[in-house]
Amino acid sequence: MPRLQPPQQRLRRLCGSLIALLGLLVLVPGCRGTRTSLHVLVVPTDRMEWLREAFRDQRDLEPLRQEFQRIHPDVDLQITLGSEGDIKHTLRKDQSRGLGPDLVLSRGPVAIALLEAGLVRPLPDTPELQESLKLLSPDDLKRVSGTRGLAGLPM
């Protein structure tokens, strides 16, 4: 039986993945140029209580913010936590007020459901994105593909 990592170690690994993923935003039109803030909505599964706990104590997220700030000093990073159960309602409400997130981090099935519901846009088909996609396995891409396009990038 695999041994689970302590919450702090899992959070550090997740933060490293998030920094890498946020760095890919330069591939998405509208996420480069004069943008001064980036709102990321993280939607963990209900089983990830350790991550919810980290969000309750925002100090645990400070290393992620600091590293992102070091790489992108002109961008203010805002991270919020969502729930899978009410994500569609939350996005509809926030988007109606112009407060929707710039990026949603979720499981593949949730990302596809949001794409199919018209709550998020598919990733734009750019030459830069096509180059990045060559590094991913077809099975990983299938997990984040919907009928309307690519719902996200696998982590």
Side-chain angles (χ1 to χ4, degrees):
M1 183 166 172
R3 201 180 85 186
L4 291 177
Q5 297 173 341
Q8 286 296 105
Q9 191 174 2
R10 288 185 286 190
L11 182 62
R12 260 187 251 116
R13 287 187 63 213
L14 177 65
C15 286
S17 297
L18 289 176
I19 290 168
L21 183 62
L22 294 175
L24 289 174
L25 284 177
V26 297
L27 301 175
V28 181
C31 291
R32 52 186 160 192
T34 61
R35 180 176 291 279
T36 57
S37 66
L38 176 65
H39 177 197
V40 179
L41 175 63
V42 179
V43 187
T45 67
D46 294 333
R47 298 182 311 243
M48 296 178 80
E49 186 57 36
W50 61 270
L51 183 58
R52 293 186 180 289
E53 193 62 38
F55 272 86
R56 286 185 195 105
D57 183 3
Q58 290 284 311
R59 291 176 299 185
D60 289 340
L61 298 176
E62 200 52 38
L64 170 64
R65 283 193 185 90
Q66 288 174 356
E67 183 63 14
F68 184 83
Q69 199 69 44
R70 186 184 69 75
I71 298 168
H72 304 282
D74 56 335
V75 179
D76 178 34
L77 179 63
Q78 176 191 357
I79 305 171
T80 56
L81 184 68
S83 168
E84 279 189 348
D86 65 357
I87 187 63
K88 287 182 181 179
H89 171 74
T90 299
L91 282 176
R92 281 188 183 101
K93 182 182 67 168
D94 289 351
Q95 289 173 350
S96 71
R97 299 183 326 213
L99 300 174
D102 300 301
L103 177 66
V104 178
L105 298 177
S106 68
R107 296 183 313 118
V110 174
I112 291 169
L114 295 175
L115 177 66
E116 300 302 330
L119 293 169
V120 297
R121 288 179 289 212
L123 289 178
D125 189 14
T126 64
E128 296 89 355
L129 181 63
Q130 289 304 315
E131 279 300 308
S132 296
L133 294 180
K134 290 178 185 175
L135 302 173
L136 303 172
S137 77
D139 288 340
D140 286 341
L141 288 175
K142 190 184 300 184
R143 289 188 331 205
V144 292
S145 297
T147 59
R148 299 180 67 194
L150 196 58
L153 294 174
M155 277 182 40

